[in-house]
Short mmCIF file of all heavy atoms in Angstrom, two decimals:
data_model
loop_
_atom_site.label_atom_id
_atom_site.label_comp_id
_atom_site.label_asym_id
_atom_site.label_seq_id
_atom_site.Cartn_x
_atom_site.Cartn_y
_atom_site.Cartn_z
N THR A 901 4.12 1.63 -0.68
CA THR A 901 4.96 1.76 -1.87
C THR A 901 4.14 2.14 -3.08
O THR A 901 4.62 2.87 -3.94
CB THR A 901 5.73 0.45 -2.13
OG1 THR A 901 4.81 -0.63 -2.22
CG2 THR A 901 6.75 0.17 -1.03
N ILE A 904 3.64 5.89 -3.04
CA ILE A 904 4.86 6.59 -3.41
C ILE A 904 5.08 6.51 -4.94
O ILE A 904 5.43 7.52 -5.57
CB ILE A 904 6.06 6.01 -2.66
CG1 ILE A 904 5.90 6.25 -1.18
CG2 ILE A 904 7.38 6.62 -3.15
CD1 ILE A 904 6.86 5.47 -0.28
N TYR A 907 2.77 8.97 -6.63
CA TYR A 907 3.35 10.30 -6.55
C TYR A 907 4.44 10.49 -7.60
O TYR A 907 4.49 11.50 -8.30
CB TYR A 907 3.90 10.57 -5.15
CG TYR A 907 4.89 11.73 -5.16
CD1 TYR A 907 4.42 13.04 -5.16
CD2 TYR A 907 6.25 11.50 -5.12
CE1 TYR A 907 5.31 14.10 -5.18
CE2 TYR A 907 7.16 12.56 -5.14
CZ TYR A 907 6.68 13.86 -5.16
OH TYR A 907 7.56 14.89 -5.19
N GLN A 908 5.34 9.50 -7.72
CA GLN A 908 6.41 9.61 -8.67
C GLN A 908 5.94 9.71 -10.12
O GLN A 908 6.54 10.42 -10.92
CB GLN A 908 7.38 8.40 -8.52
CG GLN A 908 8.19 8.42 -7.25
CD GLN A 908 9.02 7.18 -7.08
OE1 GLN A 908 8.67 6.11 -7.57
NE2 GLN A 908 10.10 7.29 -6.32
N SER A 918 14.44 18.91 -7.51
CA SER A 918 15.17 19.78 -6.59
C SER A 918 15.74 19.04 -5.40
O SER A 918 16.15 19.69 -4.44
CB SER A 918 14.26 20.91 -6.13
OG SER A 918 13.16 20.37 -5.43
N TYR A 928 14.23 7.24 -1.97
CA TYR A 928 14.69 6.84 -0.65
C TYR A 928 13.49 6.33 0.18
O TYR A 928 13.58 5.30 0.84
CB TYR A 928 15.34 8.04 0.05
CG TYR A 928 15.83 7.75 1.43
CD1 TYR A 928 17.11 7.32 1.65
CD2 TYR A 928 14.99 7.92 2.54
CE1 TYR A 928 17.56 7.05 2.92
CE2 TYR A 928 15.43 7.65 3.81
CZ TYR A 928 16.74 7.23 4.00
OH TYR A 928 17.16 6.94 5.27
N TRP A 939 5.61 1.92 8.80
CA TRP A 939 5.85 2.76 9.96
C TRP A 939 7.32 3.23 10.00
O TRP A 939 7.58 4.44 10.01
CB TRP A 939 5.51 1.98 11.23
CG TRP A 939 5.74 2.79 12.48
CD1 TRP A 939 6.79 2.70 13.30
CD2 TRP A 939 4.90 3.83 13.02
NE1 TRP A 939 6.68 3.59 14.35
CE2 TRP A 939 5.52 4.31 14.18
CE3 TRP A 939 3.70 4.38 12.62
CZ2 TRP A 939 4.99 5.31 14.96
CZ3 TRP A 939 3.17 5.40 13.40
CH2 TRP A 939 3.79 5.86 14.54
N THR A 940 8.25 2.32 10.06
CA THR A 940 9.66 2.69 10.14
C THR A 940 10.13 3.40 8.91
O THR A 940 10.79 4.44 8.97
CB THR A 940 10.51 1.44 10.42
OG1 THR A 940 10.04 0.84 11.63
CG2 THR A 940 11.98 1.78 10.55
N GLY A 942 8.37 4.97 6.69
CA GLY A 942 7.71 6.27 6.58
C GLY A 942 8.42 7.34 7.40
O GLY A 942 8.59 8.48 6.93
N GLY A 959 24.17 15.32 -0.72
CA GLY A 959 25.14 14.28 -1.08
C GLY A 959 24.55 12.92 -1.13
O GLY A 959 23.33 12.70 -1.16
N VAL A 966 21.15 -2.37 7.32
CA VAL A 966 20.86 -2.92 8.65
C VAL A 966 20.67 -1.76 9.62
O VAL A 966 21.45 -0.82 9.63
CB VAL A 966 22.00 -3.82 9.12
CG1 VAL A 966 21.75 -4.34 10.53
CG2 VAL A 966 22.25 -4.97 8.17
N ASP A 968 20.60 -0.31 13.46
CA ASP A 968 21.16 -0.53 14.79
C ASP A 968 20.02 -0.88 15.76
O ASP A 968 18.86 -0.59 15.53
CB ASP A 968 21.82 0.77 15.22
CG ASP A 968 23.08 0.56 16.02
OD1 ASP A 968 23.47 -0.61 16.15
OD2 ASP A 968 23.66 1.55 16.48
N TYR A 974 8.99 2.15 18.31
CA TYR A 974 8.27 3.00 19.26
C TYR A 974 9.03 4.25 19.66
O TYR A 974 8.59 5.01 20.51
CB TYR A 974 7.89 2.19 20.53
CG TYR A 974 9.03 1.45 21.16
CD1 TYR A 974 9.87 2.08 22.09
CD2 TYR A 974 9.30 0.12 20.84
CE1 TYR A 974 10.92 1.42 22.68
CE2 TYR A 974 10.34 -0.55 21.42
CZ TYR A 974 11.16 0.10 22.35
OH TYR A 974 12.17 -0.58 22.92
#
Side-chain angles (χ1 to χ4, degrees):
T901 55
I904 296 167
Y907 161 78
Q908 289 175 333
S918 61
Y928 180 91
W939 180 260
T940 301
V966 177
D968 216 5
Y974 52 86

